[in-house]
Amino acid sequence: MVAAVAAVAAGQAAAAPLPNDKVAEPPLTAGPNDLEYLKKVHAHIHKRWADNFLALIGQNLDLKNPLNDPARVAEADIVISAQGKLIVANVTKSSGFAGFDDAIPEVLKDSVPFPVPPVRSRSDDDNLHLHWVFARDERRCSGVTILHVDDPLPIAIPKLMKAGRRDEIVARIVAARAAGMPAEPSVSSLANEWLRGAGKQPWATVKIAGALIAKGDADAIAFLKAAVTKPATARAAGEILAANRVAICPLVKAGLEGQNGTEQLAAAQALATSGETACVPGLVNLLQNAKARPETRAAAATALGPVEDAAAHAALVAASKEEPNAAVKAAAALALVRPGAGRAKMLGMVSLLKEPSIEMRAAGSAGVVRAGGDSDFDDLYMLFRDSDPRPAEATLRELERVQTEEGTKMIAKLMKRPLVPVQRLAAQLLIKRHAKNTFAAFAAFEGSSDVELRGLSLVAADDAKVAAMGADAKMGIWAYRARLARGERDRAADWLLAALPTLDPGAQADAMVDWLQTAEAGATTVAKARR
């Protein structure tokens, strides 16, 4: 283009300057996220368009030349790659003179490479899209705008997460919510993508890994396989692996059959619900080892319960009759009861309800529910007199399986017991089964000294109270969970989106799991209601 201008100007006398050339170029305008880059890319083009092309035609061509017409304005759409390469340079609105229009793509091609565009200014295709006005008047090349070409959120979210553009996704969902769009399905898509790869993070937990394993997440499976070797997480991790048909015995057999008490306990706890026969010899030996810790032997008894094996059954029968340690004997007695075993087995457990040992009474109460479901709650009256929480806790764990109205009423009654562990567990179960008709009773926990109970009380609070607690650093997560429990998912989503920058990575992931689990639980409840 420069050569063409020189050829046209050959032999002509220098022209008088165009009046507009003496006027300062208008300042650039853009949002704070885009302005810094616009200044760079504008400066990059300005020296070629204004300082070179416009300067040449102003100095060397007559003012009557079509190129010097001050009304000459053309517009172009430009696409620049993440590496600064020119992908597209299309004149979308002609100036009315081909010579002026043709200069634009030539100047752009001559400007490669462009300044590398920042992630926040790129569109969903990871390229920078610009709309540029090129003028012969004082505007010159100042009319440049960054265009954000967005995919629909369901398409954009996975793509942007892969590119590490989390903040942009959140901002876009917030904008969509402000425009009246419901939280779903965008927030669930965000949560699923946010959790991807969380299983290998240092802040991963059994809860987080448990939410990922159903999706076949290899990192989550690896995390849980490691967690079954630690007493603090063995039981919960083992239950999740067993539910997902992952063999546990190969992971813990060495510890189970070794001499380390901590490893033995973790192994037995991990096998609690697996029903795997491969570890029966090790569990039987542990149950019968009088030198092992009672809690470890009790865990072995519990793990033998679901196993279809004659040796396992014989060991449990012997322990339930002859074992001198009450905790081990009680665990064996309860392990012999299969869910829905029937009236005969239930009556056998009723006989334990007046035992002097608290462990035996706990096993009896739990056994009544395990064998008979909600058919004999009348015999559980001792649960409302016992000052020890263990019988009620054991019963509540069995009541989780009893998905009936009577079962829900029993959980609600036990929640009134003035025992914090019992209140917590009962409240959690009621929320899990979406028993909204019981939520009013949660108000009794409002003044509790226990943070979790105080947080659970928000399920019964009015909207103003929940909103106020949402702004509290400690109670905000409980306000969020209260809204989820009450089915106020849009309001919960608004809190989550606003709070994400203030939460540490582990808390972010935990909140995402809360969102997904309540969505799945709600869908299951609706499906059951429609049957």
Side-chain angles (χ1 to χ4, degrees):
M1 189 66 211
V2 174
V5 172
V8 172
Q12 294 189 17
L18 195 70
N20 299 88
D21 290 344
K22 298 179 180 181
V23 180
E25 190 177 44
L28 300 176
T29 57
N33 289 335
D34 293 334
L35 186 57
E36 182 180 350
Y37 179 76
L38 274 187
K39 288 179 178 179
K40 288 182 181 179
V41 76
H42 169 259
H44 190 69
I45 292 297
H46 185 89
K47 61 186 178 183
R48 292 170 175 82
W49 177 259
D51 295 345
N52 192 356
F53 174 65
L54 295 186
L56 278 173
I57 62 176
Q59 293 168 7
N60 297 311
L61 299 181
D62 190 275
L63 293 182
K64 294 181 181 180
N65 188 289
L67 286 173
N68 276 327
D69 182 350
R72 198 71 64 198
V73 179
E75 298 181 22
D77 283 340
I78 301 159
V79 180
I80 299 170
S81 75
Q83 294 75 37
K85 296 179 180 179
L86 181 65
I87 299 174
V88 174
N90 290 334
V91 175
T92 57
K93 185 175 181 180
S94 174
S95 68
F97 184 65
F100 190 89
D101 296 347
D102 292 344
I104 295 170
E106 290 193 32
V107 164
L108 292 170
K109 290 173 184 176
D110 189 48
S111 301
V112 175
F114 287 81
V116 173
V119 168
R120 64 177 179 270
S121 295
R122 299 177 207 162
S123 290
D124 289 352
D125 59 3
D126 207 32
N127 296 320
L128 180 82
H129 291 250
L130 298 169
H131 183 74
W132 213 314
V133 177
F134 293 89
R136 183 61 190 94
D137 61 18
E138 67 276 6
R139 288 174 290 174
R140 300 179 184 89
C141 55
S142 62
V144 57
T145 305
I146 291 180
L147 303 176
H148 291 274
V149 182
D150 298 337
D151 290 326
L153 278 171
I155 297 172
I157 290 172
K159 188 185 298 184
L160 294 178
M161 285 295 290
K162 189 175 182 179
R165 297 163 68 177
R166 285 183 171 185
D167 292 346
E168 186 174 340
I169 301 173
V170 173
R172 202 176 296 181
I173 297 175
V174 169
R177 289 283 302 126
M181 182 182 291
E184 289 287 36
S186 297
V187 177
S188 286
S189 178
L190 171 68
N192 279 314
E193 294 299 326
W194 199 287
L195 291 170
R196 195 180 298 278
K200 60 183 176 184
Q201 299 299 328
W203 37 261
T205 63
V206 170
K207 176 182 174 180
I208 292 169
L212 296 172
I213 189 173
K215 306 177 191 301
D217 190 296
D219 295 322
I221 296 172
F223 176 89
L224 292 168
K225 284 182 175 181
V228 295
T229 64
K230 305 169 186 175
T233 54
R235 172 84 188 230
E239 287 181 358
I240 294 169
L241 289 174
N244 286 274
R245 302 179 184 276
V246 177
I248 300 168
C249 185
L251 305 173
V252 300
K253 188 175 182 181
L256 179 69
E257 297 175 355
Q259 300 300 314
N260 185 292
T262 299
E263 292 179 357
Q264 289 176 331
L265 175 60
Q269 290 175 329
L271 292 161
T273 62
S274 73
E276 296 175 33
T277 58
C279 274
V280 165
L283 289 169
V284 169
N285 288 339
L286 191 57
L287 172 60
Q288 295 173 342
N289 183 0
K291 294 182 179 180
R293 288 182 289 180
E295 62 267 31
T296 303
R297 297 176 64 210
T302 299
L304 288 169
V307 183
E308 295 288 351
D309 182 89
H313 183 76
L316 289 172
V317 170
S320 68
K321 293 179 178 179
E322 303 166 7
E323 172 59 43
N325 184 279
V328 179
K329 185 175 183 179
L334 181 57
L336 286 167
V337 181
R338 296 296 175 88
R343 183 170 177 77
K345 201 69 176 179
M346 181 185 71
L347 292 177
M349 300 309 288
V350 168
S351 65
L352 303 181
L353 297 179
K354 294 185 179 180
E355 286 278 339
S357 161
I358 189 67
E359 293 90 352
M360 292 300 290
R361 295 202 303 275
S365 298
V368 168
V369 176
R370 185 181 293 185
D374 61 8
S375 64
D376 191 26
F377 286 166
D378 288 345
D379 275 323
L380 300 181
Y381 65 89
M382 285 297 294
L383 291 175
F384 300 93
R385 299 179 183 179
D386 221 316
S387 60
D388 192 299
R390 283 175 287 179
E393 286 181 285
T395 304
L396 284 167
R397 284 191 284 271
E398 296 302 324
L399 282 168
E400 185 171 5
R401 299 192 185 104
V402 184
Q403 296 290 322
T404 66
E405 184 177 352
E406 290 304 312
T408 299
K409 289 179 180 177
M410 185 62 169
I411 295 171
K413 288 179 182 178
L414 287 171
M415 190 175 71
K416 296 178 181 179
R417 298 287 294 126
L419 303 167
V420 169
V422 176
Q423 291 171 331
R424 282 184 192 161
L425 182 54
Q428 291 164 0
L429 293 179
L430 291 173
I431 287 175
K432 189 175 181 179
R433 63 177 61 194
H434 297 275
K436 293 184 180 181
N437 61 328
T438 69
F439 287 179
F442 286 50
F445 305 143
E446 184 175 356
S448 174
S449 58
D450 183 80
V451 174
E452 182 173 342
L453 285 179
R454 200 160 66 249
L456 290 167
S457 75
L458 293 176
V459 171
D462 60 31
D463 188 73
K465 175 76 170 179
V466 178
M469 290 297 99
D472 184 273
K474 291 183 179 180
M475 300 302 292
I477 188 65
W478 291 105
Y480 166 69
R481 290 170 178 159
R483 292 207 184 278
L484 289 176
R486 297 188 330 193
E488 300 168 3
R489 295 185 65 75
D490 281 352
R491 299 290 300 278
D494 292 338
W495 179 89
L496 176 62
L497 294 168
L500 281 173
T502 68
L503 301 176
D504 64 66
Q508 290 174 344
D510 199 56
M512 295 295 182
V513 172
D514 288 335
W515 176 271
L516 293 174
Q517 288 182 337
T518 51
E520 292 166 2
T524 301
T525 300
V526 170
K528 287 181 179 179
R530 288 176 176 171
R531 290 187 191 131

